[in-house]
Amino acid sequence: MSETVNSKVDFQTMEEILKSFDYKKSYLIAMLQKVQAIYKYLPEEAMTYIGEHVDGLSPATVFGVATFYAQFSLEPKGKYEIKVCDGTACHVRGSLPVLNAIKEKIKLEEGKFTTKDGLFTLEIVSCLGACGLAPVVVINEKVYPQMTPDAITIILDTLMKEEQ
Amino acid sequence: MTLNIDIKEEQRKAQETISQQGLRVLVCAGTGCVANGSLKVIERFKELGADVSTLTEHDKMTIVPTGCHGFCEQGVLVIIPDKHVTYVKVKETDVEEIYESHVKNNQPVERLLYTDPLSGQHVHKNEEINFYAKQTRTALANCGKINAECLEEAIAVRGYEALANVIAAGNPDAVIDEIEKSGLRGRGGGGFPTGRKWRFTAANKGGKSYVVCNGDEGDPGAFMDRSIMEGDPHKLIEGMAIAAYAIGADEGYIYVRAEYPLAIKRLRKAIADAEAKNYLGKNIMGSDFSFDLHIKEGAGAFVCGEETALIASIEGERGMPRPKPPFPANKGLFGRPTLINNVETLANVPVIMLNGADWFAQMGTETSKGTKTFALTGDVNNTGLIEVPMGTTLREIVFDIGGGMRDGKKFKAVQIGGPSGGCLTEEHLDIPMDYDNLIKAGAMVGSGGLVVMSDKTCIVEVARFFMNFTQNESCGKCVPCREGTKNMLAILQKIVDGNGTMEDLDTLEELAKNVKEGSLCGLGKTAPNPVLSTLKYFRDEYIAHIKDKKCPAGVCSKMTSYVIDPEKCKGCSKCARNCPVEAISGEIKSPFTINQDKCIKCGACIDNCPFKAIERK
Ligand SMILES: Cc1cc2nc3c(=O)[nH]c(=O)nc-3n(C[C@H](O)[C@H](O)[C@H](O)COP(=O)(O)O)c2cc1C
Ligand code: FES
């Protein structure tokens, strides 16, 4: 994973993205996915840029689409994105104790998704398609199967040590 | 029409290449097994096999990374078909032993064989593993048997043969007749007859039409479609091309959820490979039939699985359902006639065209033909992906294929059909499962998520869980769904928190009725199902929460407390050391106690007590 989080939107990059999709508005979701892949979230300037440069779109429609889909984040995400599956299979096999253990461990404030130090973002997702391995946690694309509160605490401990 | 590709000849060549590979060692590289480290297992095998000097003609070996075998919990799976053996839970460090002992010296590695959960015996032959033996695989026939990233392997197992036949025959209507005759019904949940849907769409032939594959698989707890897309992408592509030929479309989209990166990657490769061979694209196999196929990634919204919302999403908009009519068959994607089918529905198409409608229709029940895949999860011994003839009973699925309940727990219910479905109980164990019987029982086949629950699962909490899901995923366009699910969730939350009243149950039923009748799309229309079916079969459990303030399963934390049995406690202090909130205290070697005001009911003490002295009440 790249360490640099580009916070400044550069319009040349934006232009390249739009061009690769032929400036077609039906590719709006794919454009936003590209933007998020680069910046790790959707900066406001990027959304405005798309809204103003693609025929048939406006910044308001872009914003509307971006807020509709759970995948898009309007705030910068932490270095480690922790996705806890709370799909049915994971739920009945105990995803909530795992979730609570994570919250406890990374000291997430109530109502927040990203830790103060910007290291961790916690998300709850519904099914990653690995239900046979429930409960499942994914940290930056790596899938951790059959989690328990103890196991996830150890994993997070290791990540935290690496960061020190 | 004569084609410029002789598919039978291609098949013969592909089979010959494979026959020269020597011993084929299949290693699962589906999402589940990759999570368990299968890529390292593959690497290790390749390292060992790479040293050709040690190999004789006899032990030449080819490592085949495959799609999902379905037996995810036992992963990493290594299967050697020629030796009829399946190794389970294989680690990188086990590979050398398998290689030295079995590949080279024909001595099976006992300790890595699957152990039958009922008999406790090692199983030597694949055919004897109950999990597989009781299945009938058609849609999944090749998943786990071929290298999903290799077109040649798909060709060897008759890939694109049906498409070639269909184009050569030159009669699109005959294809629709055949699908109609097979009795195939939509596997995406609704169970609409596929042939009829094709006929409706074909009636609008003439201008531009589209074929769309619904790979959104939003049911949390289901992964059948993922496994097909990852394990046998060419079968899906071929099914779409046949559908396009039948209805006169020349462009198609596969809509895949963003949570399935591996499926997206494999589909992209499969499409590119098929295009390169002219099995897709312009003038397929030299005919005048062209079909361009694209992939659209979803962005995380359950409602996008609904067909009109999915179309809106492909068009780049917010995935909100549109009122029907107009139906997609008349006015769908970009305002054009559109055929939309589920992944599994389309994967059945080439098989039907190859083996004939009659062959397909002899499997299943009177009204539901063929097979159905299910994602079997929850409290059973064998979790994973299964495919059985329609009409198979729950008992066969849970107790034969699933190997019974895990950890000796007691069977309580099965949740089927996800957030739109319902619960089935012991009394339903022996009804043949098909579309109509399940509807009668208050559930539905849905996509095929099948979650087995034991007496340790709280049914009320499960109802709350699903309502929370649908409430979150309600797109907000129509009021009954948006507000109704919110109110229902609030009541369920009140009940699991121990503050429910008996009147709440009536209100729940009343609300359920309104949401069902007043919602615009299937999401709202089916959202109350989990509540209604649990109220019907497990009313006692609701009442226990309300009247006795007790959660019979001991799950709802507001109603449970953890207590240390002073008779059993040896005073080792392990619980106190593991308590995250310092709620446990005591003197070493005398019984400890839990301060109920501080306790957050996380269960860490129970998990850590070496003497089983802590009880959840
Ligand atoms: C809320 C909602 C979610 C749905 N999700 C899916 C889905 O994930 N996959 C799917 O194939 N169909 C889903 N459907 C059904 C589709 O609307 C549609 O009926 C189906 O894709 C048609 O294909 P079939 O006839 O081959 O089943 C969903 C329907 C609703 C109302
Ligand atoms: S429910 Fe968690 S991976 Fe499917």
Side-chain angles (χ1 to χ4, degrees):
Chain A
M1 199 196 67
S2 95
E3 297 243 340
T4 46
V5 176
N6 303 332
S7 48
K8 188 113 180 57
V9 173
D10 102 59
F11 293 114
Q12 194 178 339
T13 315
M14 289 304 300
E15 201 52 34
E16 276 162 22
I17 294 175
L18 297 198
K19 209 157 154 196
S20 69
F21 292 109
D22 252 353
Y23 295 86
K24 273 211 193 125
K25 76 171 196 185
S26 61
Y27 285 100
L28 173 58
I29 294 169
M31 292 172 188
L32 294 175
Q33 281 165 335
K34 259 263 165 71
V35 172
Q36 181 151 307
I38 296 172
Y39 299 103
K40 303 196 78 213
Y41 77 110
L42 297 180
E44 200 178 317
E45 310 91 274
M47 288 191 281
T48 314
Y49 191 90
I50 298 177
E52 286 171 348
H53 290 79
V54 175
D55 246 4
L57 292 181
S58 69
T61 32
V62 176
F63 192 78
V65 168
T67 48
F68 183 84
Y69 293 99
Q71 191 193 22
F72 297 123
S73 166
L74 304 194
E75 279 167 30
K77 291 196 180 177
K79 178 168 175 191
Y80 296 99
E81 269 183 76
I82 310 174
K83 295 189 182 137
V84 180
C85 178
D86 191 27
T88 321
C90 292
H91 188 80
V92 302
R93 278 214 185 160
S95 52
L96 289 185
V98 173
L99 180 70
N100 289 336
I102 297 174
K103 281 188 184 158
E104 180 82 17
K105 183 76 206 166
I106 65 178
K107 304 212 161 45
L108 197 61
E109 286 173 57
E110 201 56 41
K112 288 267 170 11
F113 302 102
T114 301
T115 51
K116 270 198 191 136
D117 55 7
L119 212 49
F120 296 101
T121 297
L122 180 63
E123 280 170 69
I124 302 174
V125 297
S126 300
C127 195
L128 297 153
C131 326
L133 309 176
V136 178
V137 174
V138 173
I139 304 179
N140 289 354
E141 317 273 295
K142 186 168 166 29
V143 183
Y144 295 90
Q146 288 159 339
M147 279 295 108
T148 60
D150 281 349
I152 193 70
T153 310
I154 295 171
I155 292 166
L156 291 173
D157 256 334
T158 321
L159 290 180
M160 285 169 167
K161 281 213 185 90
E162 273 172 24
E163 285 303 320
Q164 272 168 14
Chain B
M1 176 166 295
T2 39
L3 306 179
N4 64 9
I5 291 176
D6 179 353
I7 196 77
K8 277 288 181 197
E9 177 57 20
E10 298 292 320
Q11 219 172 72
R12 199 196 50 75
K13 281 194 284 191
Q15 284 164 354
E16 191 172 309
T17 314
I18 289 171
S19 70
Q20 286 163 359
Q21 287 178 339
L23 194 66
R24 276 165 69 85
V25 178
L26 312 181
V27 186
C28 179
T31 293
C33 281
V34 169
N36 275 326
S38 76
L39 296 182
K40 283 189 187 144
V41 169
I42 292 171
E43 272 319 300
R44 186 73 191 114
F45 263 119
K46 284 193 172 156
E47 273 167 35
L48 294 167
D51 184 8
V52 200
S53 59
T54 65
L55 295 171
T56 64
E57 189 54 37
H58 169 68
D59 53 21
K60 182 169 161 189
M61 135 180 115
T62 298
I63 308 306
V64 186
T66 69
C68 182
H69 295 248
F71 214 3
C72 310
E73 192 162 24
Q74 297 287 332
V76 177
L77 293 154
V78 173
I79 299 184
I80 312 180
D82 286 351
K83 297 193 187 283
H84 304 275
V85 78
T86 295
Y87 289 118
V88 297
K89 301 200 171 165
V90 176
K91 292 194 202 54
E92 190 186 359
T93 45
D94 299 324
V95 173
E96 191 155 355
E97 190 177 346
I98 296 178
Y99 176 70
E100 288 298 330
S101 168
H102 203 172
V103 176
K104 286 171 89 175
N105 296 310
N106 212 17
Q107 282 302 313
V109 183
E110 282 284 330
R111 65 177 182 94
L112 294 172
L113 293 171
Y114 170 69
T115 312
D116 188 278
L118 301 176
S119 69
Q121 300 287 314
H122 281 153
V123 183
H124 287 84
K125 284 212 150 80
N126 293 340
E127 303 79 59
E128 288 162 9
I129 298 181
N130 263 338
F131 179 77
Y132 290 117
K134 305 260 166 143
Q135 297 192 39
T136 305
R137 294 192 158 206
T138 59
L140 299 175
N142 303 327
C143 286
K145 299 220 168 105
I146 59 169
N147 180 343
E149 296 193 10
C150 174
L151 175 60
E152 201 173 24
E153 294 221 1
I155 296 291
V157 289
R158 302 181 77 186
Y160 296 99
E161 183 183 334
L163 177 64
N165 293 346
V166 161
I167 303 176
N171 187 350
D173 286 340
V175 180
I176 300 182
D177 291 341
E178 193 71 10
I179 295 297
E180 199 155 30
K181 200 167 131 211
S182 75
L184 176 64
R185 293 170 67 172
R187 301 296 194 237
F192 192 83
T194 306
R196 209 184 314 157
K197 194 189 267 188
W198 289 23
R199 201 174 293 289
F200 288 151
T201 323
N204 299 314
K205 222 181 238 186
K208 178 103 185 158
S209 316
Y210 294 96
V211 174
V212 172
C213 169
N214 188 342
D216 199 44
E217 196 160 52
D219 173 0
F223 53 100
M224 300 78 54
D225 295 346
R226 170 182 73 69
S227 302
I228 295 174
M229 293 187 279
E230 275 177 22
D232 196 4
H234 288 289
K235 186 177 262 162
L236 172 60
I237 294 171
E238 186 184 3
M240 286 186 79
I242 295 173
Y245 184 78
I247 66 147
D250 67 353
E251 197 169 350
Y253 287 90
I254 309 179
Y255 188 91
V256 192
R257 31 193 322 243
E259 288 85 347
Y260 290 176
L262 191 58
I264 293 170
K265 178 178 153 227
R266 297 223 170 118
L267 280 169
R268 281 197 203 288
K269 171 147 194 339
I271 291 175
D273 290 351
E275 276 172 354
K277 282 289 226 173
N278 195 217
Y279 300 151
L280 261 187
K282 297 273 165 293
N283 298 98
I284 293 175
M285 307 186 196
S287 70
D288 53 12
F289 168 56
S290 300
F291 183 54
D292 279 319
L293 190 51
H294 318 282
I295 290 185
K296 279 273 182 174
E297 281 180 50
F302 172 66
V303 72
C304 284
E306 196 282 331
E307 53 195 22
T308 58
L310 185 143
I311 287 172
S313 183
I314 295 183
E315 290 171 356
E317 296 183 7
R318 290 192 286 172
M320 289 195 176
R322 298 165 177 177
K324 287 190 275 192
F327 289 94
N330 300 316
K331 202 164 174 282
L333 188 58
F334 303 115
R336 303 301 312 168
T338 302
L339 172 71
I340 171 158
N341 273 132
N342 161 266
V343 172
E344 186 184 339
T345 313
L346 289 162
N348 271 304
V349 167
V351 197
I352 293 173
M353 296 314 292
L354 276 183
N355 300 321
D358 294 333
W359 167 84
F360 188 79
Q362 75 187 11
M363 294 182 287
T365 65
E366 193 53 39
T367 57
S368 312
K369 302 297 184 193
T371 57
K372 176 77 194 91
T373 60
F374 290 101
L376 182 61
T377 59
D379 280 323
V380 278
N381 278 314
N382 302 331
T383 60
L385 183 72
I386 64 169
E387 182 171 354
V388 290
M390 286 278 186
T392 303
T393 63
L394 258 188
R395 188 183 301 280
E396 289 169 276
I397 294 181
V398 175
F399 293 95
D400 294 342
I401 299 175
M405 301 296 291
R406 67 168 43 212
D407 305 333
K409 288 181 186 165
K410 197 173 157 324
F411 175 85
K412 178 171 181 178
V414 161
Q415 209 287 338
I416 180 167
S420 324
C423 283
L424 298 174
T425 66
E426 210 146 5
E427 66 179 279
H428 302 114
L429 278 175
D430 293 308
I431 59 167
M433 293 214 291
D434 68 8
Y435 289 104
D436 309 279
N437 280 340
L438 284 179
I439 296 278
K440 264 188 244 151
M444 62 188 272
V445 174
S447 55
L450 221 159
V451 186
V452 180
M453 299 183 288
S454 71
D455 52 348
K456 298 274 184 279
T457 318
C458 171
I459 289 287
V460 186
E461 209 287 320
V462 168
R464 185 211 61 84
F465 166 79
F466 280 116
M467 194 47 69
N468 184 44
F469 178 84
T470 31
Q471 195 271 317
N472 266 328
E473 295 294 341
S474 168
C475 75
K477 185 165 172 171
C478 70
V479 181
C481 176
R482 186 182 64 219
E483 297 304 320
T485 54
K486 218 177 260 168
N487 290 332
M488 288 182 76
L489 175 62
I491 295 178
L492 290 164
Q493 188 65 51
K494 204 172 135 196
I495 299 176
V496 298
D497 284 347
N499 303 321
T501 63
M502 289 305 283
E503 290 75 60
D504 283 338
L505 296 186
D506 300 332
T507 320
L508 262 184
E509 273 166 345
E510 182 67 30
L511 278 168
K513 205 169 133 243
N514 294 341
V515 175
K516 252 174 137 62
E517 284 169 5
S519 295
L520 174 65
C521 85
L523 191 147
K525 284 188 204 301
T526 58
N529 287 354
V531 177
L532 289 174
S533 92
T534 50
L535 267 174
K536 183 165 164 200
Y537 298 119
F538 294 97
R539 210 178 179 88
D540 289 355
E541 232 178 288
Y542 280 86
I543 295 175
H545 281 74
I546 294 171
K547 284 202 169 149
D548 313 336
K549 306 287 171 216
K550 275 261 175 314
C551 173
V555 171
C556 297
S557 61
K558 293 263 163 63
M559 281 176 242
T560 42
S561 48
Y562 290 79
V563 214
I564 300 177
D565 181 349
E567 303 278 303
K568 291 187 188 155
C569 178
K570 302 258 191 293
C572 73
S573 86
K574 199 163 171 214
C575 56
R577 279 181 279 129
N578 279 289
C579 175
V581 289
E582 295 175 4
I584 310 182
S585 55
E587 302 231 331
I588 294 285
K589 294 204 173 140
S590 42
F592 276 56
T593 51
I594 301 178
N595 178 342
Q596 299 298 338
D597 294 336
K598 279 192 182 172
C599 173
I600 57 165
K601 294 152 185 165
C602 67
C605 50
I606 285 208
D607 294 342
N608 281 295
C609 176
F611 309 106
K612 296 201 168 30
I614 305 175
E615 253 190 282
R616 196 179 0 220
K617 283 195 176 157

